[in-house]
């Protein structure tokens, strides 16, 4: 039979165990933790639900298109529509634009031009067209007997952009912005009540007409909101592509012939 450890031997062994990290006595015999199972009972459903804060109800985000439609339909006239559009704060474009651009020309005109969104010059001027583009448009209209400044509605034109605010850097607008503001544009056409629409520019054409882009559709009559619509190049495009002026002239003659035959 082995002799019992003396005091100093036992003390030396204890000191060694402490240095190795065994500084707390738990059991008289070793414990095999690989054979243990979790003996805790599973929480009941009621206990699980009460273990944390109650779930908050989901808040549905408002649909900006539905809000725009409601605001547009509530506008009884063009002045009220302009005010409703300017107050509409769900379109982020308004935060980066200098001006709100609603319309130009003469209300009640037979012809309504639906234009591309404002660019830098239009944003600065607060007008649907400004600078050289506005001068070119006036010459184009004068060539077929029309004018944005004509005193009578037979020879006058009315115009509005498909978006009232400039996109940052004059980039192509996001389709979501076009869809968001479309109810206002539809109501604008309804209240202006023109006989003929001229869809002027690639963005306006893509937003309003089906069947292809402006280069494919230009000069061919289509329909927008139940009215005859003619897509043609914008003044900005003609300034950048002078060779397209011949096609633009042909399209203007098509518009003139339609007006002379009664719309």
């Amino acid at each position: 039979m082995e002799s019992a450890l003396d005091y100093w031997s036992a003390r030396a062994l204890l000191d060694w165990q402490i240095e190795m990290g065994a500084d707390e006595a738990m059991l008289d015999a070793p414990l095999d933790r690989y054979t243990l199972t979790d003996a805790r009972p599973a929480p009941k459903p009621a206990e699980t639900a009460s273990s944390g804060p109650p779930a908050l109800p989901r808040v549905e985000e408002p649909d900006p298109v539905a809000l725009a439609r409601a605001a547009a339909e509530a506008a009884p006239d063009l002045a009220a529509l302009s005010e409703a559009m300017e107050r509409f704060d769900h379109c982020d474009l308004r935060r980066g634009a200098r001006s709100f651009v609603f319309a130009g020309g003469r209300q009640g005109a037979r012809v309504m031009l639906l234009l591309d969104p404002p660019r830098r010059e239009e944003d600065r001027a607060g007008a649907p067209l400004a600078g050289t583009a506005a001068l070119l448009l006036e010459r184009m209209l004068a060539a077929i007997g029309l004018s944005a400044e004509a005193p009578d509605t037979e020879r006058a034109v009315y115009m509005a952009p498909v978006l009232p605010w400039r996109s940052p850097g004059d980039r192509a607008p996001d389709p979501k912005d076009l869809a968001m503001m479309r109810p206002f544009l539809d109501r604008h056409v309804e209240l202006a009540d023109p006989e003929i629409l001229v869809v002027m520019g690639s963005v306006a054409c893509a937003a309003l007409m089906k069947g292809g882009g402006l280069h494919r559709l230009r000069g061919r009559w289509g329909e927008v909101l139940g009215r005859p619509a003619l897509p043609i190049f914008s003044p900005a495009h003609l300034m950048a592509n002078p060779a397209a002026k011949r096609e633009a002239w042909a399209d203007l003659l098509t518009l003139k012939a339609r007006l002379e035959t009664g719309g």
Side-chain angles (χ1 to χ4, degrees):
M1 182 177 179
E2 295 182 0
S3 61
L5 290 173
D6 60 56
Y7 172 81
W8 295 109
S9 297
R11 176 64 181 270
L13 288 173
L14 286 172
D15 289 342
W16 177 80
Q17 290 184 58
I18 291 172
E19 288 180 4
M20 297 300 294
D23 58 357
E24 185 175 354
M26 300 296 293
L27 297 171
D28 294 334
L31 178 65
D32 185 0
R33 296 186 180 276
Y34 290 102
T35 63
L36 296 178
T37 57
D38 188 357
R40 290 177 300 175
K44 298 179 181 179
E47 293 175 349
T48 303
S50 62
S51 61
L56 295 175
R58 184 178 177 182
V59 178
E60 295 292 337
E61 292 293 329
D63 179 5
V65 177
L67 295 175
R69 186 178 299 112
E73 291 175 354
D77 52 37
L78 290 172
L81 181 67
S82 175
E83 184 178 351
M85 288 177 68
E86 193 167 11
R87 287 201 316 263
F88 189 74
D89 62 359
H90 296 276
C91 184
D92 290 338
L93 292 178
R94 70 195 305 274
R95 293 169 176 80
R98 173 181 295 190
S99 300
F100 167 75
V101 181
F102 180 67
R106 182 166 297 280
Q107 295 182 15
R110 294 179 67 192
V111 177
M112 182 175 183
L113 311 182
L114 299 177
L115 309 174
D116 284 348
R119 295 174 67 86
R120 183 172 182 271
E121 282 194 276
E122 288 76 33
D123 185 44
R124 287 176 174 271
L129 282 177
T132 307
L135 295 175
L136 178 56
L137 176 63
E138 193 60 28
R139 288 199 295 268
M140 292 168 64
L141 295 174
I144 58 171
L146 300 177
S147 172
E149 306 298 330
D152 60 291
T153 56
E154 287 293 313
R155 295 194 314 109
V157 297
Y158 182 64
M159 65 187 82
V162 294
L163 284 175
W165 296 292
R166 176 196 181 196
S167 296
D170 293 334
R171 63 166 170 75
D174 191 313
K176 291 181 180 179
D177 291 326
L178 288 166
M180 186 187 306
M181 300 303 293
R182 178 63 190 266
F184 288 113
L185 182 63
D186 292 354
R187 182 61 171 159
H188 200 157
V189 173
E190 182 181 3
L191 292 172
D193 196 25
E195 292 179 24
I196 291 174
L197 297 173
V198 175
V199 182
M200 186 170 279
S202 58
V203 175
C205 184
L208 295 168
M209 305 198 75
K210 300 178 180 179
L214 178 58
H215 284 269
R216 179 179 179 183
L217 297 178
R218 54 138 293 270
R220 296 161 49 190
W221 286 100
E223 186 176 287
V224 173
L225 301 173
R227 303 168 196 268
L230 181 68
I232 70 175
F233 291 133
S234 68
H237 177 83
L238 297 177
M239 289 189 295
N241 303 273
K245 289 182 179 180
R246 177 179 296 182
E247 295 168 318
W249 173 240
D251 298 342
L252 289 171
L253 292 178
T254 299
L255 173 60
K256 181 181 180 182
R258 186 78 177 235
L259 290 169
E260 290 175 346
T261 57

